[in-house]
Amino acid sequence: MSKLISTFKIGFDDETKAVLSELKDKLDAIKGSLGVPSALLGSTKPNGGLLVAMGDAANDAPESELKQMGQWVFEGQDKKWASAHVDQDGQGFLCTVPKSMTIRADGYWTTKYVGWRVGILDGEFDASDWENSAIDRETVNDVDYLSETVPEIEGMEASDIIIDDMGRDYSHNSNCLHAVVPHITQADMQLIFIKNLSDVLIQRMHSMGRFSHDDYVIGGQGGDVMMPWDIVYDIAADRFGLITASEKEHHSAFFFKPLSITVDTPTAFHKDSLLGGALRTITEDEVSNFRGVLEVRYA
C-alpha cells in the first residue's frame, strides 16, 4: 500500500518578512549583550556581557576582612605582652615593651632597648594607618581589660576565693577576710579624714598663693587681708588656727596648740586688735608642723 506524501510550502509577504528580520536582529543583539556561552548558542561567543559579569562575580573568591588593632589582641595572652602594633605589610605583633619604648624604622617597629621580644598575631591587619597603630595593654583597677572568666572551684563561690598581693590563697581560712583586709576602726577613719582635710587646706594655700614669706605677710600689722580657710599662726600664743569667717575688717577663727588636749572656742576679733596683729598665714616651712599638730589634736 503506497503512502501519500504531501508537501506544504509556507510563504510570507514582504511586510511580514521585514518584521521577522527586525525581530531576529533584536534577538541577536540581546544574545550578544548577555554573552551566553557558545556551547548553548552555536557559534555565538561571549563578549563580556551581563552573564559574563555575573559569572565572574560568582567565581571571584571573597576578600578576607582586614582585622583592626585593638585591646582584643591581648585576650588570653601572657602578661609579658605590654603593647601591640601593625607593620606596613599588615602583620600584627605583640611586644614586651610599652609603645613609648618603640620606634618606627623602614616600615617596621623596633626599639633601642636590649632584651625585648615580639609575638606574631594571626591574620592580616589594616595597615592604612600603621604608623599610628601601636597601642598599650590597658588595665582597669589593675585587672587586664579583657573578657576573662572566673574559674569555677567545686563547692566554692567566686566570692569565696581570696588571694592577696603575694599570691597567698586564704580561701580555706575561716578568718580569711580579716587576714587580708585589716579592720578599720573609727579612730582610723578619723585619721584618714584629718589627713585628707590637711591635704585640701594646704593645696588651697598653694594654688591661691596664701603663704606668708619673709618679704610678704598675709595678716599681722600691715599685711594683706586674711580670708576664710587661711591657715594661720598665732605668734604670741604659739598656736595654729583656721580662719572661719571674714566680714570687712572682722574675722573669726578657732585655734589649737601643740601637745594641748583642748581647743579654743571660735574667737571673733578685729584685724587691728592684739590678736589680729599677732596672726599671719603660715609659711611653707611650717606645713609639716601644722600637719603634725592637726593630727595629734584631732586624730
Side-chain angles (χ1 to χ4, degrees):
M1 181 176 179
S2 60
K3 296 180 179 180
L4 178 63
I5 301 174
S6 299
T7 302
F8 298 91
K9 185 175 182 180
I10 300 176
F12 299 99
D13 57 22
D14 292 340
E15 183 179 356
T16 302
K17 289 180 180 180
V19 172
L20 292 175
S21 177
E22 183 178 355
L23 288 174
K24 181 179 181 299
D25 292 340
K26 290 182 177 180
L27 289 173
D28 288 342
I30 294 173
K31 178 180 64 179
S33 64
L34 292 177
V36 181
S38 57
L40 298 178
L41 298 176
S43 61
T44 304
K45 296 182 179 180
N47 65 352
L50 178 61
L51 287 184
V52 174
M54 292 172 63
D56 291 342
N59 292 329
D60 284 344
E63 295 183 2
S64 59
E65 184 177 355
L66 297 178
K67 297 181 179 181
Q68 300 297 321
M69 177 57 65
Q71 289 297 315
W72 65 269
V73 301
F74 297 109
E75 187 164 1
Q77 298 290 350
D78 192 276
K79 299 291 185 182
K80 67 183 179 183
W81 302 120
S83 65
H85 55 260
V86 177
D87 65 18
Q88 65 178 0
D89 299 325
Q91 178 63 63
F93 293 92
L94 297 171
C95 186
T96 55
V97 298
K99 70 175 185 179
S100 60
M101 297 173 62
T102 60
I103 56 175
R104 298 186 300 271
D106 300 326
Y108 300 94
W109 291 85
T110 184
T111 181
K112 298 180 291 183
Y113 298 88
V114 178
W116 74 305
R117 295 289 185 272
V118 295
I120 299 177
L121 294 167
D122 293 333
E124 184 177 359
F125 286 76
D126 182 3
S128 59
D129 191 26
W130 74 270
E131 297 95 336
N132 299 309
S133 66
I135 60 172
D136 283 323
R137 190 173 195 163
E138 296 180 3
T139 58
V140 176
N141 293 333
D142 297 328
V143 178
D144 277 349
Y145 188 75
L146 306 174
S147 58
E148 295 178 343
T149 57
V150 178
E152 296 182 0
I153 299 178
E154 185 177 356
M156 295 185 65
E157 299 290 338
S159 58
D160 295 330
I161 304 172
I162 301 177
I163 299 177
D164 70 1
D165 292 338
M166 300 299 293
R168 293 171 297 193
D169 186 359
Y170 292 94
S171 303
H172 303 290
N173 183 353
S174 59
N175 297 317
C176 61
L177 184 59
H178 296 290
V180 178
V181 180
H183 179 62
I184 300 178
T185 65
Q186 186 174 357
D188 294 329
M189 294 300 297
Q190 178 72 2
L191 178 59
I192 293 172
F193 169 75
I194 292 300
K195 286 182 177 291
N196 289 337
L197 175 62
S198 64
D199 286 342
V200 171
L201 293 173
I202 292 168
Q203 180 59 43
R204 172 194 171 275
M205 297 287 287
H206 276 293
S207 61
M208 297 183 65
R210 301 299 294 172
F211 287 108
S212 289
H213 304 278
D214 292 338
D215 56 349
Y216 173 65
V217 176
I218 298 176
Q221 296 291 342
D224 285 351
V225 177
M226 293 179 292
M227 298 169 53
W229 306 115
D230 278 347
I231 305 171
V232 295
Y233 177 67
D234 184 350
I235 303 173
D238 185 26
R239 58 183 180 175
F240 291 104
L242 190 67
I243 301 297
T244 57
S246 294
E247 179 63 28
K248 295 184 179 178
E249 298 181 347
H250 296 273
H251 307 283
S252 66
F254 70 87
F255 301 92
F256 41 90
K257 297 182 64 174
L259 305 179
S260 174
I261 61 173
T262 61
V263 61
D264 294 340
T265 58
T267 303
F269 59 93
H270 190 276
K271 74 177 186 66
D272 294 330
S273 65
L274 291 176
L275 178 58
L279 292 181
R280 60 163 172 77
T281 59
I282 64 172
T283 65
E284 292 190 73
D285 292 337
E286 294 168 333
V287 166
S288 60
N289 289 338
F290 166 74
R291 287 183 185 273
V293 171
L294 190 66
E295 292 176 14
V296 168
R297 175 62 190 85
Y298 290 99

